[in-house]
Amino acid sequence: METSSAMFIGTCLKEHQKIYKEWFNIADSDGDRHVSGNDATKFFSMSKLSRQELKQVWAVADSKRKGFLGLTEFITAMELVTLAQEGHEITSDLLKVDMMSVELPVLEGLENVVYKQKASKAYADDEDNGYVKVIGLLAKLAVVTQPQAATAKASWFKSKAITKPQVNVVTIVDGLKRLYAEKLKPLEVTYRFNDFASPVLTTFIKHLLGCEYPGAHIGPEPTTDRFVVAMSGPDERTIPGNTMAVQADMPFNGLTSFGGAFLSKFECSQMPHPLLDQITLVDTPGVLSGEKQRMRRSYDFTGVISWFASKCDMILLLFDPHKLDISDEFKRVITSLRGNEDKIRVVLNKADQVDTQQPMRVYGALMWSLGKVLNTPEVVHVYIGYAFGYNMNQLFEKEQSDLITDLMTMPKKHIKEFVKRARAAKINAYIMSHSKKEMPAMMGKLKAQQRLIDNLQQEFEKVQQEYHLPAGDFPSVEHFKEVLGGYNIDKFEKLKPKMIQAEDDMLDYDIPDLLKKFRNPYE
């Protein structure tokens, strides 16, 4: 699943590579090894292509939607510019063309840009050399004339200076991480948001990766008896769940609440793979049906599913054409996905194993079954898949392409999930501070707390009316009651308007600015 743009350097003439590297350095105005949208609009304008053509060039070259071009993507863009100048329509199919025969693009005015940059660099070097000499002389004079006491004082002041390290934001995800650490996490920690937040796939993953991940088990029955996280790593290895849950650099600390019985059924499978550099896949146990449903799992299966669902970008429900029944356990699993229905994608797998007329009947039966358990006004999208490894016809090929495209657009969903979490954290802060405000100053605190918990629905309505909040953003009353009973409400924090304002500014200004920075510059 290596991205096609990465193949351009390998198929490009060596003399062209050298020229492209020089052009890349010219286009990279700030020397950060990235050609930003602003850099691209200035440099690519010399190609004299239309804005629509350049929009397509950028979209194909920046296939990972990073919002900038590295050297590899820049070379891809230059090759596409050449093809566009020759009259080709810019599509991702052009990436399959043999680039050894593709000439350099025509860039009008490039010679003037190169001349001006070299002249500016030579002038800057001369100026810097003179500046360094003067500063060096002044430094020597200062050492001779400056009293020792003053030097010690200057040193004392210097030691107190604290410089915050600047976070280099080169992707949307980097920007979201910085916003989370600076503005959202303090709000979550202050009001204990993480404590109150509602928390047949193996073959499919093998197809996506083009190989089995370490520890994969594939068979006709549900052979995956554990939750396996497939993620990028320096080499192939398997990490036990107990270890994963306590590692500070991994996002699985919250799973410790499900106990050792679950952690023994949880593991991480790492391997170097270009797809896993972009997304992390979670392979879940097969859902039990028939007599097997009488077997009780040793942990809260639906609770774990709900935890992963609240944190993932996409949920794939895979069905086989011969196993369309939705068991009681499957119903409970789908119920636990409430609030995340927009993430659900359904895949009717191995559809080529039935007769020619059967797929449409199977499709209809599946839609009917799903309609009884998925409470959504929209019809769920069902992708039709084939038994991976077998020949596929045009329909299956197009369905596979659509699903892969859907998967590759997941980085766009990070913004939506981030905003959703920020709004939930804000409402949680309002609820916590309101509950604190309703507690008496001295006597009767236990009775007051129990009264608040018993009438939590009414308290939610008070918060909604006071702060003009949408009712749909409030958490589940029953879940909140269950968690709230284990806390002393009197110990909650009062409302901190500065934190709320910081979160509002993040949603109103910071995130739109981040999206503007990393969008296609020609849109």
Side-chain angles (χ1 to χ4, degrees):
M1 293 292 297
E2 186 176 359
T3 54
S4 299
S5 62
M7 295 187 284
F8 270 70
I9 288 182
T11 60
C12 177
L13 291 172
K14 289 186 177 180
E15 51 267 31
H16 287 184
Q17 288 184 35
K18 184 177 180 180
I19 295 173
Y20 285 141
K21 288 178 182 178
E22 292 177 358
W23 291 2
F24 178 79
N25 292 331
I26 294 171
D28 178 19
S29 60
D30 54 3
D32 63 351
R33 309 300 299 165
H34 299 113
V35 174
S36 66
N38 289 333
D39 292 337
T41 52
K42 296 174 183 176
F43 191 85
F44 290 1
S45 64
M46 293 184 287
S47 69
K48 302 305 179 182
L49 293 176
S50 68
R51 189 175 184 86
Q52 183 61 31
E53 288 173 316
L54 290 174
K55 176 183 175 181
Q56 285 300 107
V57 167
W58 181 280
V60 175
D62 183 27
S63 60
K64 297 179 182 177
R65 304 297 185 265
K66 294 186 293 185
F68 64 87
L69 303 180
L71 176 59
T72 301
E73 293 82 13
F74 179 80
I75 292 177
T76 300
M78 288 293 94
E79 300 279 12
L80 291 172
V81 167
T82 297
L83 294 172
Q85 290 176 340
E86 293 175 354
H88 294 277
E89 183 181 357
I90 305 300
T91 66
S92 57
D93 292 337
L94 286 180
L95 299 179
K96 303 173 184 177
V97 174
D98 180 14
M99 295 298 164
M100 296 295 288
S101 59
V102 176
E103 298 294 330
L104 294 172
V106 177
L107 301 178
E108 295 184 16
L110 181 60
E111 299 84 355
N112 295 333
V113 174
V114 172
Y115 175 78
K116 288 180 181 178
Q117 190 175 74
K118 287 182 177 179
S120 176
K121 186 176 184 301
Y123 176 78
D125 289 343
D126 291 341
E127 193 176 50
D128 288 345
N129 289 335
Y131 178 76
V132 169
K133 291 177 182 177
V134 172
I135 292 298
L137 179 60
L138 291 176
K140 289 180 181 178
L141 291 173
V143 171
V144 173
T145 59
Q146 196 172 32
Q148 189 174 2
T151 304
K153 184 177 181 181
S155 176
W156 183 82
F157 276 110
K158 188 176 180 182
S159 66
K160 291 295 183 181
I162 298 175
T163 304
K164 280 189 176 181
Q166 293 295 318
V167 179
N168 189 22
V169 177
V170 296
T171 66
I172 286 180
V173 175
D174 290 338
L176 292 179
K177 287 179 179 178
R178 190 185 68 177
L179 290 176
Y180 176 77
E182 293 178 358
K183 298 191 175 182
L184 183 53
K185 187 176 181 180
L187 185 72
E188 292 184 355
V189 172
T190 301
Y191 296 101
R192 308 169 191 262
F193 175 69
N194 285 325
D195 295 341
F196 288 85
S198 301
V200 199
L201 187 56
T202 309
T203 311
F204 181 77
I205 292 176
K206 175 185 175 182
H207 174 72
L208 284 178
L209 300 179
C211 59
E212 293 184 11
Y213 60 78
H217 301 285
I218 300 175
E221 293 299 321
T223 53
T224 306
D225 63 343
R226 58 188 63 233
F227 284 80
V228 182
V229 176
M231 60 192 306
S232 179
D235 51 24
E236 292 190 8
R237 57 179 171 176
T238 300
I239 305 174
N242 287 285
T243 304
M244 289 287 294
V246 297
Q247 288 188 354
D249 60 339
M250 293 290 183
F252 305 115
N253 304 88
L255 291 172
T256 55
S257 61
F258 295 102
F262 165 71
L263 294 178
S264 65
K265 297 288 187 181
F266 173 56
E267 66 182 33
C268 173
S269 180
Q270 290 187 333
M271 61 184 295
H273 197 283
L275 178 64
L276 295 180
D277 290 338
Q278 306 301 316
I279 61 177
T280 296
L281 303 169
V282 181
D283 193 3
T284 65
V287 177
L288 301 178
S289 61
E291 291 295 321
K292 291 184 179 180
Q293 293 184 82
R294 298 182 181 180
M295 300 167 53
R296 288 198 171 271
R297 300 184 190 266
S298 57
Y299 58 91
D300 182 6
F301 179 66
T302 55
V304 175
I305 292 287
S306 180
W307 188 91
F308 276 108
S310 65
K311 293 166 176 59
C312 71
D313 295 310
M314 184 181 294
I315 302 167
L316 293 175
L317 301 180
L318 273 72
F319 290 85
D320 284 355
H322 302 294
K323 301 175 184 177
L324 296 179
D325 60 308
I326 297 179
S327 63
D328 292 339
E329 184 177 63
F330 206 169
K331 288 180 181 177
R332 292 194 295 271
V333 167
I334 293 177
T335 301
S336 71
L337 302 179
R338 295 275 168 82
N340 299 288
E341 289 87 354
D342 58 320
K343 302 177 184 179
I344 296 176
R345 305 291 186 275
V346 179
V347 179
L348 178 57
N349 202 13
K350 304 177 184 178
D352 59 331
Q353 293 187 350
V354 296
D355 297 336
T356 306
Q357 291 182 326
Q358 289 296 98
M360 295 308 299
R361 296 174 183 173
V362 171
Y363 182 90
L366 177 59
M367 294 294 289
W368 183 79
S369 298
L370 289 172
K372 295 191 296 182
V373 293
L374 285 176
N375 294 323
T376 57
E378 302 87 4
V379 177
V380 65
H381 189 120
V382 177
Y383 294 95
I384 300 177
Y386 61 97
F388 299 123
Y390 291 83
N391 293 328
M392 56 182 178
N393 61 31
Q394 188 176 359
L395 170 64
F396 296 148
E397 186 175 15
K398 190 175 186 307
E399 287 289 300
Q400 174 194 262
S401 177
D402 290 347
L403 180 54
I404 297 298
T405 301
D406 204 356
L407 283 169
M408 291 308 173
T409 59
M410 281 200 296
K412 296 181 179 179
K413 298 178 175 66
H414 290 154
I415 294 288
K416 182 179 70 174
E417 290 303 310
F418 187 88
V419 170
K420 182 179 177 181
R421 182 180 180 90
R423 293 172 65 178
K426 178 180 175 181
I427 287 179
N428 181 76
Y430 280 132
I431 295 172
M432 297 287 99
S433 58
H434 171 80
S435 301
K436 164 78 173 179
K437 187 173 64 175
E438 294 295 309
M439 293 294 289
M442 299 291 292
M443 307 293 291
K445 292 185 178 182
L446 288 177
K447 290 183 178 180
Q449 173 158 334
Q450 190 57 50
R451 185 176 65 253
L452 281 171
I453 293 175
D454 292 339
N455 301 311
L456 193 59
Q457 180 63 52
Q458 287 79 3
E459 300 303 320
F460 278 12
E461 293 173 0
K462 290 180 183 178
V463 173
Q464 179 192 349
Q465 293 172 4
E466 181 178 356
Y467 298 105
H468 309 288
L469 302 171
D473 287 349
F474 276 73
S476 165
V477 173
E478 295 304 319
H479 174 76
F480 213 89
K481 278 184 179 181
E482 182 181 343
V483 179
L484 194 59
Y487 286 89
N488 184 351
I489 296 179
D490 194 48
K491 299 294 183 182
F492 289 167
E493 294 282 347
K494 295 181 180 179
L495 187 65
K496 298 185 177 182
K498 287 186 178 180
M499 279 191 173
I500 300 295
Q501 187 59 50
E503 198 252 17
D504 287 340
D505 290 343
M506 179 187 71
L507 294 176
D508 294 339
Y509 304 107
D510 296 336
I511 289 181
D513 288 345
L514 185 66
L515 287 172
K516 184 177 179 181
K517 180 180 178 181
F518 290 103
R519 69 181 180 181
N520 187 322
Y522 298 99
E523 288 182 344

